[in-house]
Amino acid sequence: LIDVLGAPQALSPRASLTSSPGKETIKINKDAKGTVVVDGVTERWVSTKEELARAMEEGIKQRHITETKMNVESSRSHLLFTILVEVTNVETQRTNSGKLTLVDLAGSERTKKSGVQGGAMEEAKAINKSLSALGDVISSLTQKEKHIPYRNHKLTQLLSDSLGGAAKTLMFVNVSPAASNAEETASSLQYAARAKQIKNKVSRNDESQELIALRQENLRLQRMVGER
């Protein structure tokens, strides 16, 4: 995991992620309500759409890309941008909160077509592995299985509250019009068709200020205990 809004990385956007230095400090947890919380990641407070757009643009610039035989700027990583929104009724002091996670998934890749080698080939394998794990989660959700394998990969851990629970999931698919890519196009559409079958009970997140403060204090204490 790389925090693209954090301190400038020692690695350039076109360097290989397989050579990323330093110890990973980003941890994936869940709060008492089941919402994914990423400890150690950069958070930005924004109050206007312009501030939000600037933060998103900054993250996109740090995304890792490389050139392959199929794409001049091929994404070598997935990109997640999460927007947390809280609205408080000034009369009742009740707060509605929401979470919107925008995800740009790197596409699955056949190395024979892309021609990648070395570190880029390892990245392709990692991307395909993560997409396979995501496919397993989507399949389990649509079949309403008791066990959903979220913990099989960090990508699915990060997306667990965007796929299951009270979430509404939308997937947009970019496909190639070339006949030579017909097999990949069909596979991508089938992938999205499965995601469309996810049915969750969407509910409104409505809480009082007292309950919110209590949850925040409980989470703070849990983190203090975990750091000892």
Side-chain angles (χ1 to χ4, degrees):
L1 296 178
I2 293 180
D3 180 8
V4 293
L5 286 181
Q9 302 293 329
L11 134 130
S12 71
R14 287 187 178 273
S16 173
L17 288 181
T18 57
S19 62
S20 178
K23 182 179 179 181
E24 183 175 299
T25 58
I26 302 173
K27 297 181 179 179
I28 305 170
N29 296 305
K30 282 194 173 184
D31 63 14
K33 295 174 59 179
T35 301
V36 173
V37 178
V38 185
D39 293 325
V41 77
T42 300
E43 296 182 352
R44 297 279 179 85
W45 287 91
V46 298
S47 56
T48 66
K49 62 181 181 180
E50 289 79 14
E51 291 176 344
L52 182 64
R54 281 197 295 271
M56 185 179 295
E57 183 179 358
E58 182 179 336
I60 291 174
K61 286 181 178 179
Q62 291 293 331
R63 188 178 191 179
H64 177 49
I65 57 175
T66 194
E67 183 175 349
T68 71
K69 290 182 178 179
M70 297 184 68
N71 199 336
V72 175
E73 293 188 351
S74 174
S75 299
R76 312 311 296 170
S77 61
H78 307 304
L79 181 67
L80 280 74
F81 189 83
T82 300
I83 304 170
L84 302 175
V85 181
E86 285 191 357
V87 179
T88 301
N89 187 312
V90 294
E91 295 182 356
T92 65
Q93 290 301 302
R94 297 191 69 86
T95 298
N96 289 329
S97 60
K99 179 179 181 180
L100 175 64
T101 301
L102 305 176
V103 186
D104 186 2
L105 295 172
S108 60
E109 183 175 306
R110 293 192 176 185
T111 55
K112 288 184 178 180
K113 283 189 174 183
S114 63
V116 295
Q117 298 178 347
M121 179 178 289
E122 294 303 314
E123 290 167 356
K125 291 178 181 178
I127 290 170
N128 291 342
K129 181 179 179 180
S130 64
L131 293 175
S132 178
L134 179 58
D136 291 341
V137 166
I138 292 173
S139 178
S140 296
L141 286 169
T142 56
Q143 295 177 27
K144 300 188 182 299
E145 296 179 359
K146 292 183 178 180
H147 173 68
I148 311 298
Y150 291 121
R151 300 188 66 84
N152 285 1
H153 198 278
K154 289 181 180 179
L155 175 64
T156 48
Q157 289 183 53
L158 287 168
L159 295 180
S160 58
D161 62 348
S162 299
L163 295 168
K168 182 174 182 180
T169 305
L170 297 175
M171 182 177 288
F172 300 86
V173 182
N174 292 325
V175 296
S176 170
S180 58
N181 296 324
E183 186 175 348
E184 288 85 350
T185 296
S187 177
S188 297
L189 292 174
Q190 290 171 2
Y191 197 97
R194 283 192 296 165
K196 188 178 180 181
Q197 295 174 16
I198 297 175
K199 302 295 182 183
N200 294 322
K201 185 177 180 181
V202 180
S203 59
R204 191 172 72 174
N205 192 355
D206 187 4
E207 294 183 334
S208 65
Q209 288 290 333
E210 292 81 4
L211 184 56
I212 291 174
L214 183 61
R215 289 188 185 279
Q216 291 176 342
E217 178 64 14
N218 183 47
L219 182 60
R220 185 183 70 82
L221 292 174
Q222 288 179 352
R223 290 178 177 175
M224 287 178 60
V225 172
E227 291 174 354
R228 291 180 179 177

